[in-house]
Amino acid sequence: YQESATPSIIVSEQNIAVGAQGEAIAIEVKGNINATPHIPSEIDWISEVSTKAWSTNTYYFLINPNESYESRTATIAFVNEDNGLNESVVITQMQKNAIVIATNSYSFNNNGGTFSVEINSNVDFDINIENDWVKQVETKGLSTTNIHFAVAKNESYDNRETIISFISKDKDISQEIRVYQSQTNAIIISEKEKTISPSGETFDVEIRANVSFDVIMPDVDWVQKIETKALTPNTLHLCVKTNDSY
């Protein structure tokens, strides 16, 4: 082509987008005068890369990974000071996508309750709850960084736990919290009343419990606890003596 007599600088791209992971980029510069690249001194995440390639009109730059949660921009200027000319290329680097949760576990007694999860995120996300005893609670509040949940009462005699997952729409990022709930404490005995013949007898009371307990015997001498070496710690052995009274 026929070069213009007017001094000029032409860059191959005026805007370049770079992912958060960083990469090397090439900028081709055309013109009829020399141009020198200038990167602002406060920009420490872009550096020019020297190359042994034959092309003298292509400049290479290394973009460092962006570890922050915000995008960033910088301008590389190609300058010819003698003619007062410059041509700029704007570099825009995407942020590091993240879902950040303030607290990753919550514990409740068997009565249940409510809790809020504080979330900082720069991506859209879905919420997945493993079990149906935890429900997300919709609110009319203006805060979008607090997600509210309700924990149902635990009517069972076992403690339980579940996982709530926060998953980005593209499935690349996920965070989890665990919810723990204690059981309903109980001591269950096989018989609450026992009628004994005048001749007396021994009998067993089966005890089921999910808590530690003590056995308190009545302050009488005709009912006795029988100690045993059997491997049934939840069975209480009792002996009722003969009733000689009328």
Side-chain angles (χ1 to χ4, degrees):
Y1 68 95
Q2 185 176 6
E3 294 185 351
S4 170
T6 303
S8 63
I9 301 171
I10 302 172
V11 294
S12 56
E13 297 180 77
Q14 292 186 321
N15 294 278
I16 299 176
V18 179
Q21 72 277 8
E23 61 183 88
I25 61 172
I27 301 174
E28 185 180 358
V29 179
K30 296 180 180 180
N32 53 12
I33 55 176
N34 292 327
T36 303
H38 288 268
I39 302 171
S41 58
E42 69 272 14
I43 301 300
D44 60 0
W45 50 276
I46 299 177
S47 56
E48 186 177 2
V49 179
S50 59
T51 176
K52 294 181 180 180
W54 286 102
S55 174
T56 57
N57 295 324
T58 301
Y59 297 84
Y60 298 88
F61 300 89
L62 180 63
I63 314 299
N64 293 337
N66 186 359
E67 298 295 340
S68 74
Y69 302 125
E70 296 181 356
S71 62
R72 57 189 181 184
T73 62
T75 300
I76 301 175
F78 294 88
V79 179
N80 182 285
E81 294 181 351
D82 293 338
N83 292 279
L85 295 178
N86 75 81
E87 191 69 19
S88 297
V89 178
V90 177
I91 309 298
T92 301
Q93 187 175 29
M94 303 305 295
Q95 74 278 359
K96 178 182 179 180
N97 289 336
I99 300 173
V100 181
I101 297 175
T103 305
N104 59 13
S105 67
Y106 297 82
S107 297
F108 292 87
N109 61 27
N110 66 295
N111 290 322
T114 60
F115 66 101
S116 297
V117 179
E118 183 181 348
I119 298 177
N120 289 296
S121 175
N122 54 10
V123 294
D124 293 329
F125 57 86
D126 295 316
I127 299 173
N128 178 64
I129 306 174
E130 271 191 354
N131 300 95
D132 60 3
W133 53 272
V134 176
K135 304 284 189 183
Q136 184 179 349
V137 179
E138 300 295 338
T139 67
K140 294 182 180 179
L142 295 178
S143 173
T144 58
T145 59
N146 285 281
I147 312 297
H148 306 278
F149 298 90
V151 178
K153 186 175 181 178
N154 187 359
E155 303 282 0
S156 74
Y157 301 124
D158 294 315
N159 56 19
R160 59 189 182 182
E161 66 179 86
T162 192
I163 296 174
I164 302 176
S165 302
F166 301 85
I167 307 169
S168 63
K169 296 287 187 181
D170 59 9
K171 312 298 183 184
D172 286 342
I173 305 170
S174 67
Q175 289 286 349
E176 294 181 347
I177 64 170
R178 292 183 178 268
V179 181
Y180 302 93
Q181 189 175 28
S182 60
Q183 72 281 354
T184 294
N185 292 333
I187 300 174
I188 302 172
I189 59 177
S190 56
E191 294 181 89
K192 291 188 177 182
E193 294 185 8
K194 183 75 173 177
T195 301
I196 306 296
S197 67
S199 60
E201 66 178 275
T202 61
F203 64 97
D204 295 337
V205 177
E206 184 181 349
I207 302 171
R208 291 185 296 158
N210 55 10
V211 292
S212 300
F213 61 88
D214 296 318
V215 177
I216 301 175
M217 296 296 294
D219 190 18
V220 295
D221 61 359
W222 53 273
V223 179
Q224 296 178 339
K225 179 182 177 183
I226 301 173
E227 300 297 337
T228 176
K229 294 182 179 180
L231 298 175
T232 55
N234 291 329
T235 300
L236 178 64
H237 305 279
L238 298 172
C239 175
V240 179
K241 295 181 179 179
T242 301
N243 185 358
D244 293 325
S245 67
Y246 300 106

